[in-house]
């Protein structure tokens, strides 16, 4: 309790102590208290320190040279800042055209790159198309070769019921030997007339249902249609002379007759 | 030089008279350095802050109103510069940049013990750091009265306080600052 009272008294007397207006006895008492109280000791030290920075003492401590040199220093600093300000201003003035030009150059480069890429793509496409055209032409040329006389039969055999019309349309007649040659060029199992077509042909040509034809049709097993091998055997069974000429009109007529009626 | 003469010189500066500006610099520099020294406890910083104040005044003299006191205008600029310096120090936890404490000794060192001077600087650094922990009103009063050496009644008037409020605020500010400084000393914050 005593200490607290002492602290309050100490703090009340602090200004007087720090300014040196306290009596010797009062100073001794307060310094004694500061020696036993750490809080008040710091407070005293702080006050003495701040008083030590009194205006008169500080101004007196400022060297004359610092005062006389202040104006040149200020002038130099102002000049330096003005120079920096001008440089910044110049930099700002040229700050936008350079990036703008760089950006434009970059855009131009990108556009050129895209353009060249597109041109390259079109050129590649053109080469592919040229290659395709050449392939088509080569294939057509090969097709022409296949449709020549020696390959007519193979092509015709694969073409179905209208073979005679499409392959032999320009011919007026065909010999038995030619027909045998054509049939021999086909795989024996190649179907020339399906079972339905053959039945239709038999139904529409009455004499095929009589005499030797019945035997022949049985021989060639007409139930599964007429194959190339059977046609060859049929020619042999009928014993047709090899130089006999068969009218294409008859052949085509037989072909049409075998077509199922719609 | 009284306030009227100073304001007349400042008005001439405003019209571009550099000779008048030089007279102002020569007349007031000593006082400004002393004030800055009380803020920083560092002569070199006090000199630099004073130079900075004059550079600001040179650039802003056009804004000075000759109807008002030039001294008050100048000291307001100077005080703001010093407080700004202290705020940076509070943020960085360093009151005085500079590696060598001896470089901050008093320019007139006759009769001053260098060790005592270093110790005094370190204590001043603690005080400035402690200021950062005070409330704004406590700091304002303590800075104006204890650091600038202002009269309590005038400070109260300038800050718009009652004299009794100003006195009480100063009392508690000093107590709190002492507690903070003691705490920092015990933690060994001087070595930061």
């Amino acid at each position: 309790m005593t200490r607290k009272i002492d602290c309050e008294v100490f703090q009340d007397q602090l200004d007087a102590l720090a300014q040196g207006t306290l009596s010797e006895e009062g100073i001794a008492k307060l310094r004694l208290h500061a020696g036993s109280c750490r809080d008040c000791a710091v407070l005293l030290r702080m006050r003495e320190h701040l008083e030590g920075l009194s205006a008169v003492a500080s101004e007196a401590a400022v060297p004359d040279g610092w005062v006389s040199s202040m104006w040149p220093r200020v002038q130099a600093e102002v000049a330096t800042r003005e120079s920096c300000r001008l440089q910044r201003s110049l930099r700002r003035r040229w700050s936008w055209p350079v990036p703008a030009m760089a950006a434009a150059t970059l855009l131009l480069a990108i556009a050129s790159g895209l353009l060249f890429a597109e041109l390259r793509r079109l050129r590649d496409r053109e080469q592919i198309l040229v290659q395709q055209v050449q392939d088509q032409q080569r294939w057509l040329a090969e097709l022409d070769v296949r449709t020549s006389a020696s390959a007519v039969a193979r092509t015709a055999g694969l073409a179905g019921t209208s073979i005679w019309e499409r392959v032999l349309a320009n011919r007026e007649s065909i010999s038995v030997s030619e027909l045998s040659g054509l049939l021999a060029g086909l795989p024996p199992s190649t179907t020339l007339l399906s079972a339905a077509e053959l039945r239709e042909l038999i139904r529409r040509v009455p004499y095929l249902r009589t005499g030797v034809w019945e035997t022949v049709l049985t021989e060639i097993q007409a139930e599964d249609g007429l194959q190339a091998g059977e046609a060859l055997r049929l020619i042999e069974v009928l014993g047709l002379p090899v130089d006999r000429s068969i009218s294409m009109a008859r052949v085509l007529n037989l072909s049409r007759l075998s077509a199922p009626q719609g | 030089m009284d306030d009227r003469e100073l304001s007349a010189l400042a008005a001439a500066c405003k019209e571009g008279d550099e000779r008048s500006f030089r007279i102002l610099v020569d007349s007031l520099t000593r006082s400004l350095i002393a004030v800055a020294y009380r803020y920083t406890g560092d002569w070199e910083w006090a000199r630099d802050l004073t130079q900075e104040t004059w550079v600001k005044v040179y650039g802003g003299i056009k804004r000075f109103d000759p109807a008002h006191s030039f001294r008050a205008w100048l000291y307001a600029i100077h005080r703001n510069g010093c407080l700004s310096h202290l705020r940076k120090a509070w943020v960085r936890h360093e009151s005085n940049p500079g590696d060598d404490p001896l470089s901050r000794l008093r320019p007139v060192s006759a009769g001053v013990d260098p060790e005592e001077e270093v110790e005094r600087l370190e204590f001043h650094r603690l005080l400035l750091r402690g200021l950062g922990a005070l409330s704004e009103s406590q700091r304002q009063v303590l800075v104006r009265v204890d650091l600038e050496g202002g009269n309590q009644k005038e400070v109260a008037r300038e800050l718009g306080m009652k004299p009794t409020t100003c006195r009480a605020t100063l009392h508690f500010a000093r107590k709190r600052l002492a507690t903070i400084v003691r705490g920092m000393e015990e933690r060994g914050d001087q070595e930061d």
Side-chain angles (χ1 to χ4, degrees):
Chain A
M1 195 67 182
T2 305
R3 182 168 177 255
K4 188 178 178 189
I5 292 169
D6 285 348
C7 286
E8 286 182 359
V9 171
F10 181 90
Q11 285 161 26
D12 285 343
Q13 298 290 317
L14 201 58
D15 284 340
L17 175 68
Q19 289 162 9
T21 56
L22 206 62
S23 69
E24 290 293 324
E25 190 184 355
I27 292 172
K29 280 183 180 175
L30 292 184
R31 288 210 179 276
L32 189 66
H33 174 75
S36 63
C37 173
R38 292 198 65 184
D39 283 340
C40 289
V42 173
L43 206 56
L44 175 64
R45 189 178 168 199
M46 197 175 81
R47 290 293 303 132
E48 284 178 335
H49 176 81
L50 292 172
E51 287 297 328
L53 301 172
S54 68
V56 175
S58 297
E59 282 189 31
V62 176
D64 292 339
W66 282 23
V67 176
S68 59
S69 66
M70 184 56 72
W71 172 237
R73 282 169 61 113
V74 171
Q75 278 184 311
E77 185 64 22
V78 167
T80 303
R81 291 189 188 186
E82 183 63 19
S83 167
C84 289
R85 196 184 62 79
L86 281 173
Q87 283 179 357
R88 271 201 306 274
S89 171
L90 278 173
R91 271 201 300 272
R92 205 175 298 126
R93 189 174 299 168
W94 288 102
S95 62
W96 70 267
V98 173
M101 284 167 70
T105 307
L106 189 65
L107 283 174
L108 198 61
I110 291 171
S112 303
L114 289 173
L115 194 63
F116 282 120
E118 183 65 12
L119 280 173
R120 200 160 41 244
R121 194 183 67 78
L122 288 173
R123 200 172 297 129
D124 291 345
R125 179 75 183 146
E126 182 189 17
Q127 284 178 352
I128 289 169
L129 288 172
V130 166
Q131 186 64 42
Q132 283 179 348
V133 168
Q134 287 174 348
D135 289 346
Q136 294 277 357
Q137 285 174 343
R138 193 163 49 248
W139 184 77
L140 285 172
E142 286 175 8
L143 200 62
D144 283 345
V145 171
R146 282 182 195 165
T147 53
S148 64
S150 62
V152 165
R154 189 176 292 111
T155 308
L158 295 171
T161 56
S162 57
I163 51 172
W164 315 113
E165 288 183 1
R166 284 192 280 114
V167 178
L168 305 173
N170 296 328
R171 301 279 295 273
E172 288 185 357
S173 62
I174 184 168
S175 67
V176 171
S177 65
E178 275 183 307
L179 188 58
S180 298
L182 282 171
L183 292 171
L186 291 171
S189 60
T190 303
T191 300
L192 299 179
L193 293 172
S194 67
E197 288 170 334
L198 189 55
R199 274 198 303 275
E200 183 65 20
L201 184 63
I202 293 167
R203 189 181 68 78
R204 296 174 72 174
V205 183
Y207 71 84
L208 290 178
R209 296 196 295 269
T210 60
V212 68
W213 281 102
E214 267 190 84
T215 309
V216 168
L217 290 173
T218 305
E219 177 71 20
I220 64 171
Q221 297 176 332
E223 293 79 10
D224 60 349
L226 178 64
Q227 279 75 42
E230 290 173 333
L232 264 177
R233 206 158 63 250
L234 183 61
I235 290 170
E236 286 171 13
V237 170
L238 291 173
L240 296 172
V242 292
D243 58 347
R244 181 165 173 182
S245 180
I246 303 170
S247 163
M248 279 305 298
R250 288 190 65 188
V251 175
L252 291 174
N253 193 34
L254 280 173
S255 174
R256 287 189 195 105
L257 287 172
S258 68
Q261 288 184 319
Chain B
M1 203 175 288
D2 64 22
D3 272 1
R4 217 171 35 195
E5 286 173 310
L6 291 174
S7 294
L9 284 169
C13 294
K14 203 173 171 180
E15 300 302 319
D17 182 4
E18 283 210 349
R19 207 167 57 85
S20 298
F21 197 88
R22 177 165 193 170
I23 294 171
L24 287 175
V25 171
D26 289 345
S27 306
L28 296 167
T29 290
R30 189 181 297 277
S31 167
L32 291 178
I33 291 177
V35 168
Y37 174 72
R38 287 197 293 276
Y39 272 94
T40 61
D42 183 317
W43 285 105
E44 290 295 336
W45 269 112
R47 189 187 194 187
D48 289 347
L49 285 170
T50 302
Q51 178 187 318
E52 184 62 26
T53 296
W54 283 122
V55 170
K56 283 179 190 166
V57 169
Y58 188 89
I61 193 71
K62 299 278 182 194
R63 289 192 298 274
F64 169 65
D65 180 0
H68 293 90
S69 162
F70 175 73
R71 191 190 294 272
W73 187 68
L74 172 69
Y75 275 75
I77 292 173
H78 192 51
R79 184 181 298 122
N80 286 338
C82 292
L83 283 173
S84 173
H85 169 77
L86 289 187
R87 277 191 206 99
K88 286 175 193 166
W90 295 330
V91 170
R92 292 180 195 153
H93 281 245
E94 56 181 32
S95 62
N96 295 309
D99 298 328
D100 181 9
L102 292 176
S103 70
R104 293 182 253 124
L105 292 177
R106 284 169 182 268
V108 179
S109 56
V112 177
D113 179 1
E115 277 188 28
E116 276 180 19
E117 186 67 358
V118 171
E119 194 180 332
R120 186 192 62 79
L121 282 169
E122 294 297 349
F123 187 70
H124 195 80
R125 173 191 287 191
L126 287 182
L127 284 185
L128 296 178
R129 283 181 58 186
L131 277 176
L134 298 183
S135 71
E136 185 62 31
S137 60
Q138 285 178 338
R139 187 161 53 237
Q140 276 189 339
V141 172
L142 199 139
V143 161
R144 300 288 276 274
V145 175
D146 284 352
L147 275 184
E148 291 187 17
N151 178 282
Q152 280 190 37
K153 285 181 183 170
E154 285 178 12
V155 170
R157 185 171 49 78
E158 286 174 18
L159 295 177
M161 286 179 175
K162 288 179 183 173
T164 49
T165 309
C166 183
R167 182 179 166 76
T169 305
L170 183 63
H171 176 78
F172 287 112
R174 284 170 176 169
K175 275 186 75 176
R176 182 150 184 235
L177 184 59
T179 306
I180 293 167
V181 168
R182 188 187 160 191
M184 286 194 289
E185 277 187 324
E186 286 175 355
R187 287 197 307 273
D189 284 9
Q190 273 178 299
E191 302 306 320
D192 283 359

mmCIF file of all heavy atoms in Angstrom, chain B residues 138-170:
data_model
loop_
_atom_site.group_PDB
_atom_site.id
_atom_site.type_symbol
_atom_site.label_atom_id
_atom_site.label_comp_id
_atom_site.label_asym_id
_atom_site.label_seq_id
_atom_site.Cartn_x
_atom_site.Cartn_y
_atom_site.Cartn_z
ATOM 1 N N GLN B 138 -3.111 9.104 -27.188
ATOM 2 C CA GLN B 138 -1.970 9.089 -26.271
ATOM 3 C C GLN B 138 -0.680 9.462 -27.007
ATOM 4 O O GLN B 138 0.122 10.251 -26.531
ATOM 5 C CB GLN B 138 -1.809 7.698 -25.639
ATOM 6 C CG GLN B 138 -2.842 7.393 -24.569
ATOM 7 C CD GLN B 138 -2.682 5.986 -24.002
ATOM 8 O OE1 GLN B 138 -2.103 5.120 -24.641
ATOM 9 N NE2 GLN B 138 -3.212 5.773 -22.805
ATOM 10 N N ARG B 139 -0.526 8.880 -28.200
ATOM 11 C CA ARG B 139 0.688 9.138 -28.981
ATOM 12 C C ARG B 139 0.785 10.620 -29.366
ATOM 13 O O ARG B 139 1.839 11.235 -29.275
ATOM 14 C CB ARG B 139 0.696 8.251 -30.232
ATOM 15 C CG ARG B 139 2.004 8.349 -31.001
ATOM 16 C CD ARG B 139 2.215 7.191 -31.940
ATOM 17 N NE ARG B 139 1.085 6.995 -32.827
ATOM 18 C CZ ARG B 139 0.407 5.880 -32.937
ATOM 19 N NH1 ARG B 139 0.727 4.834 -32.220
ATOM 20 N NH2 ARG B 139 -0.598 5.784 -33.780
ATOM 21 N N GLN B 140 -0.359 11.167 -29.812
ATOM 22 C CA GLN B 140 -0.356 12.573 -30.252
ATOM 23 C C GLN B 140 0.077 13.493 -29.115
ATOM 24 O O GLN B 140 0.931 14.360 -29.302
ATOM 25 C CB GLN B 140 -1.749 12.967 -30.735
ATOM 26 C CG GLN B 140 -2.013 12.579 -32.173
ATOM 27 C CD GLN B 140 -3.308 13.183 -32.669
ATOM 28 O OE1 GLN B 140 -4.184 13.549 -31.899
ATOM 29 N NE2 GLN B 140 -3.432 13.307 -33.976
ATOM 30 N N VAL B 141 -0.515 13.268 -27.947
ATOM 31 C CA VAL B 141 -0.205 14.153 -26.818
ATOM 32 C C VAL B 141 1.246 13.981 -26.384
ATOM 33 O O VAL B 141 1.975 14.961 -26.201
ATOM 34 C CB VAL B 141 -1.158 13.858 -25.630
ATOM 35 C CG1 VAL B 141 -0.717 14.622 -24.397
ATOM 36 C CG2 VAL B 141 -2.580 14.248 -25.995
ATOM 37 N N LEU B 142 1.694 12.720 -26.283
ATOM 38 C CA LEU B 142 3.052 12.478 -25.795
ATOM 39 C C LEU B 142 4.100 13.027 -26.770
ATOM 40 O O LEU B 142 5.101 13.614 -26.354
ATOM 41 C CB LEU B 142 3.250 10.978 -25.575
ATOM 42 C CG LEU B 142 4.434 10.638 -24.662
ATOM 43 C CD1 LEU B 142 4.063 9.499 -23.717
ATOM 44 C CD2 LEU B 142 5.647 10.229 -25.456
ATOM 45 N N VAL B 143 3.825 12.845 -28.077
ATOM 46 C CA VAL B 143 4.772 13.344 -29.085
ATOM 47 C C VAL B 143 4.844 14.863 -29.030
ATOM 48 O O VAL B 143 5.933 15.458 -29.050
ATOM 49 C CB VAL B 143 4.349 12.852 -30.493
ATOM 50 C CG1 VAL B 143 4.998 13.690 -31.576
ATOM 51 C CG2 VAL B 143 4.727 11.395 -30.687
ATOM 52 N N ARG B 144 3.669 15.508 -28.947
ATOM 53 C CA ARG B 144 3.657 16.979 -28.994
ATOM 54 C C ARG B 144 4.252 17.595 -27.724
ATOM 55 O O ARG B 144 4.935 18.610 -27.787
ATOM 56 C CB ARG B 144 2.217 17.487 -29.164
ATOM 57 C CG ARG B 144 1.552 16.993 -30.454
ATOM 58 C CD ARG B 144 2.135 17.665 -31.679
ATOM 59 N NE ARG B 144 1.534 18.952 -31.937
ATOM 60 C CZ ARG B 144 0.432 19.125 -32.632
ATOM 61 N NH1 ARG B 144 -0.197 18.088 -33.148
ATOM 62 N NH2 ARG B 144 -0.054 20.321 -32.843
ATOM 63 N N VAL B 145 4.013 16.940 -26.594
ATOM 64 C CA VAL B 145 4.501 17.535 -25.338
ATOM 65 C C VAL B 145 5.931 17.088 -25.038
ATOM 66 O O VAL B 145 6.821 17.921 -24.844
ATOM 67 C CB VAL B 145 3.565 17.165 -24.158
ATOM 68 C CG1 VAL B 145 4.148 17.681 -22.843
ATOM 69 C CG2 VAL B 145 2.186 17.743 -24.385
ATOM 70 N N ASP B 146 6.133 15.743 -25.023
ATOM 71 C CA ASP B 146 7.436 15.254 -24.573
ATOM 72 C C ASP B 146 8.504 15.275 -25.666
ATOM 73 O O ASP B 146 9.672 15.555 -25.394
ATOM 74 C CB ASP B 146 7.290 13.825 -24.028
ATOM 75 C CG ASP B 146 6.668 13.820 -22.647
ATOM 76 O OD1 ASP B 146 6.511 14.926 -22.076
ATOM 77 O OD2 ASP B 146 6.320 12.739 -22.142
ATOM 78 N N LEU B 147 8.120 14.949 -26.887
ATOM 79 C CA LEU B 147 9.123 14.933 -27.961
ATOM 80 C C LEU B 147 9.366 16.327 -28.525
ATOM 81 O O LEU B 147 10.497 16.738 -28.725
ATOM 82 C CB LEU B 147 8.681 14.001 -29.091
ATOM 83 C CG LEU B 147 9.029 12.514 -28.935
ATOM 84 C CD1 LEU B 147 8.608 11.740 -30.176
ATOM 85 C CD2 LEU B 147 10.519 12.331 -28.715
ATOM 86 N N GLU B 148 8.281 17.069 -28.785
ATOM 87 C CA GLU B 148 8.466 18.394 -29.370
ATOM 88 C C GLU B 148 8.685 19.463 -28.299
ATOM 89 O O GLU B 148 9.044 20.588 -28.621
ATOM 90 C CB GLU B 148 7.241 18.764 -30.218
ATOM 91 C CG GLU B 148 7.119 17.930 -31.476
ATOM 92 C CD GLU B 148 6.004 18.427 -32.382
ATOM 93 O OE1 GLU B 148 5.546 19.571 -32.201
ATOM 94 O OE2 GLU B 148 5.587 17.650 -33.249
ATOM 95 N N GLY B 149 8.432 19.102 -27.038
ATOM 96 C CA GLY B 149 8.622 20.081 -25.970
ATOM 97 C C GLY B 149 7.526 21.132 -25.942
ATOM 98 O O GLY B 149 7.749 22.271 -25.507
ATOM 99 N N GLY B 150 6.337 20.771 -26.409
ATOM 100 C CA GLY B 150 5.238 21.742 -26.467
ATOM 101 C C GLY B 150 4.605 21.988 -25.109
ATOM 102 O O GLY B 150 4.720 21.166 -24.198
ATOM 103 N N ASN B 151 3.937 23.125 -24.996
ATOM 104 C CA ASN B 151 3.219 23.476 -23.777
ATOM 105 C C ASN B 151 1.904 22.704 -23.724
ATOM 106 O O ASN B 151 1.169 22.652 -24.719
ATOM 107 C CB ASN B 151 2.965 24.990 -23.793
ATOM 108 C CG ASN B 151 2.186 25.443 -22.581
ATOM 109 O OD1 ASN B 151 0.973 25.265 -22.528
ATOM 110 N ND2 ASN B 151 2.890 26.017 -21.628
ATOM 111 N N GLN B 152 1.610 22.126 -22.559
ATOM 112 C CA GLN B 152 0.418 21.259 -22.461
ATOM 113 C C GLN B 152 -0.865 21.983 -22.853
ATOM 114 O O GLN B 152 -1.723 21.431 -23.535
ATOM 115 C CB GLN B 152 0.284 20.701 -21.043
ATOM 116 C CG GLN B 152 1.202 19.521 -20.783
ATOM 117 C CD GLN B 152 0.877 18.842 -19.468
ATOM 118 O OE1 GLN B 152 -0.280 18.727 -19.085
ATOM 119 N NE2 GLN B 152 1.914 18.394 -18.789
ATOM 120 N N LYS B 153 -0.993 23.236 -22.400
ATOM 121 C CA LYS B 153 -2.234 23.968 -22.697
ATOM 122 C C LYS B 153 -2.362 24.233 -24.203
ATOM 123 O O LYS B 153 -3.439 24.094 -24.786
ATOM 124 C CB LYS B 153 -2.260 25.288 -21.928
ATOM 125 C CG LYS B 153 -2.570 25.108 -20.450
ATOM 126 C CD LYS B 153 -2.611 26.442 -19.744
ATOM 127 C CE LYS B 153 -2.843 26.232 -18.245
ATOM 128 N NZ LYS B 153 -2.673 27.464 -17.470
ATOM 129 N N GLU B 154 -1.252 24.608 -24.820
ATOM 130 C CA GLU B 154 -1.291 24.891 -26.265
ATOM 131 C C GLU B 154 -1.579 23.612 -27.063
ATOM 132 O O GLU B 154 -2.336 23.620 -28.029
ATOM 133 C CB GLU B 154 0.044 25.483 -26.716
ATOM 134 C CG GLU B 154 0.229 26.926 -26.288
ATOM 135 C CD GLU B 154 1.586 27.466 -26.707
ATOM 136 O OE1 GLU B 154 2.275 26.801 -27.509
ATOM 137 O OE2 GLU B 154 1.957 28.536 -26.212
ATOM 138 N N VAL B 155 -0.943 22.523 -26.610
ATOM 139 C CA VAL B 155 -1.169 21.237 -27.294
ATOM 140 C C VAL B 155 -2.633 20.847 -27.171
ATOM 141 O O VAL B 155 -3.257 20.398 -28.149
ATOM 142 C CB VAL B 155 -0.246 20.143 -26.713
ATOM 143 C CG1 VAL B 155 -0.641 18.769 -27.228
ATOM 144 C CG2 VAL B 155 1.201 20.434 -27.064
ATOM 145 N N ALA B 156 -3.207 21.030 -25.956
ATOM 146 C CA ALA B 156 -4.623 20.697 -25.750
ATOM 147 C C ALA B 156 -5.489 21.512 -26.697
ATOM 148 O O ALA B 156 -6.428 20.988 -27.323
ATOM 149 C CB ALA B 156 -5.007 20.967 -24.296
ATOM 150 N N ARG B 157 -5.159 22.795 -26.832
ATOM 151 C CA ARG B 157 -5.946 23.666 -27.712
ATOM 152 C C ARG B 157 -5.814 23.200 -29.169
ATOM 153 O O ARG B 157 -6.793 23.087 -29.904
ATOM 154 C CB ARG B 157 -5.462 25.115 -27.555
ATOM 155 C CG ARG B 157 -6.293 26.144 -28.335
ATOM 156 C CD ARG B 157 -5.900 27.556 -27.957
ATOM 157 N NE ARG B 157 -4.468 27.786 -27.979
ATOM 158 C CZ ARG B 157 -3.759 27.983 -29.083
ATOM 159 N NH1 ARG B 157 -4.347 27.986 -30.257
ATOM 160 N NH2 ARG B 157 -2.464 28.181 -29.027
ATOM 161 N N GLU B 158 -4.580 22.905 -29.584
ATOM 162 C CA GLU B 158 -4.352 22.484 -30.980
ATOM 163 C C GLU B 158 -5.060 21.158 -31.283
ATOM 164 O O GLU B 158 -5.540 20.953 -32.404
ATOM 165 C CB GLU B 158 -2.854 22.319 -31.245
ATOM 166 C CG GLU B 158 -2.115 23.644 -31.373
ATOM 167 C CD GLU B 158 -0.603 23.435 -31.495
ATOM 168 O OE1 GLU B 158 -0.183 22.310 -31.822
ATOM 169 O OE2 GLU B 158 0.131 24.404 -31.248
ATOM 170 N N LEU B 159 -5.106 20.272 -30.289
ATOM 171 C CA LEU B 159 -5.730 18.960 -30.516
ATOM 172 C C LEU B 159 -7.223 18.960 -30.190
ATOM 173 O O LEU B 159 -7.883 17.922 -30.315
ATOM 174 C CB LEU B 159 -5.021 17.883 -29.676
ATOM 175 C CG LEU B 159 -3.549 17.618 -30.042
ATOM 176 C CD1 LEU B 159 -2.941 16.584 -29.100
ATOM 177 C CD2 LEU B 159 -3.413 17.133 -31.478
ATOM 178 N N GLY B 160 -7.751 20.112 -29.742
ATOM 179 C CA GLY B 160 -9.179 20.215 -29.439
ATOM 180 C C GLY B 160 -9.576 19.458 -28.189
ATOM 181 O O GLY B 160 -10.653 18.883 -28.118
ATOM 182 N N MET B 161 -8.680 19.447 -27.193
ATOM 183 C CA MET B 161 -8.950 18.740 -25.929
ATOM 184 C C MET B 161 -9.081 19.754 -24.796
ATOM 185 O O MET B 161 -8.564 20.868 -24.883
ATOM 186 C CB MET B 161 -7.759 17.836 -25.554
ATOM 187 C CG MET B 161 -7.595 16.596 -26.351
ATOM 188 S SD MET B 161 -6.117 15.743 -25.714
ATOM 189 C CE MET B 161 -6.198 14.249 -26.668
ATOM 190 N N LYS B 162 -9.734 19.299 -23.706
ATOM 191 C CA LYS B 162 -9.700 20.113 -22.491
ATOM 192 C C LYS B 162 -8.306 19.939 -21.874
ATOM 193 O O LYS B 162 -7.736 18.840 -21.956
ATOM 194 C CB LYS B 162 -10.751 19.620 -21.501
ATOM 195 C CG LYS B 162 -12.166 19.943 -21.921
ATOM 196 C CD LYS B 162 -13.122 19.396 -20.876
ATOM 197 C CE LYS B 162 -14.554 19.648 -21.301
ATOM 198 N NZ LYS B 162 -15.508 18.985 -20.388
ATOM 199 N N PRO B 163 -7.771 20.976 -21.201
ATOM 200 C CA PRO B 163 -6.435 20.845 -20.586
ATOM 201 C C PRO B 163 -6.359 19.687 -19.598
ATOM 202 O O PRO B 163 -5.344 18.981 -19.556
ATOM 203 C CB PRO B 163 -6.236 22.188 -19.872
ATOM 204 C CG PRO B 163 -7.080 23.146 -20.642
ATOM 205 C CD PRO B 163 -8.270 22.366 -21.108
ATOM 206 N N THR B 164 -7.454 19.469 -18.863
ATOM 207 C CA THR B 164 -7.424 18.361 -17.891
ATOM 208 C C THR B 164 -7.362 17.016 -18.608
ATOM 209 O O THR B 164 -6.672 16.091 -18.177
ATOM 210 C CB THR B 164 -8.675 18.393 -16.993
ATOM 211 O OG1 THR B 164 -9.835 18.525 -17.827
ATOM 212 C CG2 THR B 164 -8.620 19.559 -16.018
ATOM 213 N N THR B 165 -8.103 16.924 -19.712
ATOM 214 C CA THR B 165 -8.074 15.672 -20.505
ATOM 215 C C THR B 165 -6.674 15.447 -21.058
ATOM 216 O O THR B 165 -6.150 14.321 -21.046
ATOM 217 C CB THR B 165 -9.077 15.755 -21.676
ATOM 218 O OG1 THR B 165 -10.341 16.145 -21.173
ATOM 219 C CG2 THR B 165 -9.182 14.438 -22.413
ATOM 220 N N CYS B 166 -6.083 16.527 -21.530
ATOM 221 C CA CYS B 166 -4.735 16.438 -22.104
ATOM 222 C C CYS B 166 -3.743 15.964 -21.023
ATOM 223 O O CYS B 166 -2.919 15.084 -21.274
ATOM 224 C CB CYS B 166 -4.333 17.808 -22.657
ATOM 225 S SG CYS B 166 -2.729 17.816 -23.459
ATOM 226 N N ARG B 167 -3.872 16.530 -19.852
ATOM 227 C CA ARG B 167 -2.960 16.176 -18.754
ATOM 228 C C ARG B 167 -3.136 14.698 -18.366
ATOM 229 O O ARG B 167 -2.146 13.974 -18.193
ATOM 230 C CB ARG B 167 -3.260 17.088 -17.560
ATOM 231 C CG ARG B 167 -2.354 16.852 -16.369
ATOM 232 C CD ARG B 167 -2.698 17.820 -15.240
ATOM 233 N NE ARG B 167 -2.095 17.419 -13.986
ATOM 234 C CZ ARG B 167 -0.810 17.575 -13.697
ATOM 235 N NH1 ARG B 167 -0.003 18.153 -14.581
ATOM 236 N NH2 ARG B 167 -0.324 17.178 -12.538
ATOM 237 N N ALA B 168 -4.414 14.258 -18.274
ATOM 238 C CA ALA B 168 -4.672 12.861 -17.909
ATOM 239 C C ALA B 168 -4.153 11.919 -19.003
ATOM 240 O O ALA B 168 -3.549 10.871 -18.714
ATOM 241 C CB ALA B 168 -6.176 12.654 -17.705
ATOM 242 N N THR B 169 -4.406 12.301 -20.249
ATOM 243 C CA THR B 169 -3.945 11.464 -21.367
ATOM 244 C C THR B 169 -2.422 11.327 -21.345
ATOM 245 O O THR B 169 -1.878 10.230 -21.533
ATOM 246 C CB THR B 169 -4.386 12.078 -22.717
ATOM 247 O OG1 THR B 169 -5.794 12.266 -22.699
ATOM 248 C CG2 THR B 169 -4.008 11.186 -23.885
ATOM 249 N N LEU B 170 -1.745 12.446 -21.092
ATOM 250 C CA LEU B 170 -0.280 12.434 -21.030
ATOM 251 C C LEU B 170 0.209 11.531 -19.903
ATOM 252 O O LEU B 170 1.157 10.744 -20.080
ATOM 253 C CB LEU B 170 0.228 13.865 -20.839
ATOM 254 C CG LEU B 170 1.745 14.050 -20.816
ATOM 255 C CD1 LEU B 170 2.351 13.632 -22.153
ATOM 256 C CD2 LEU B 170 2.105 15.495 -20.497
#
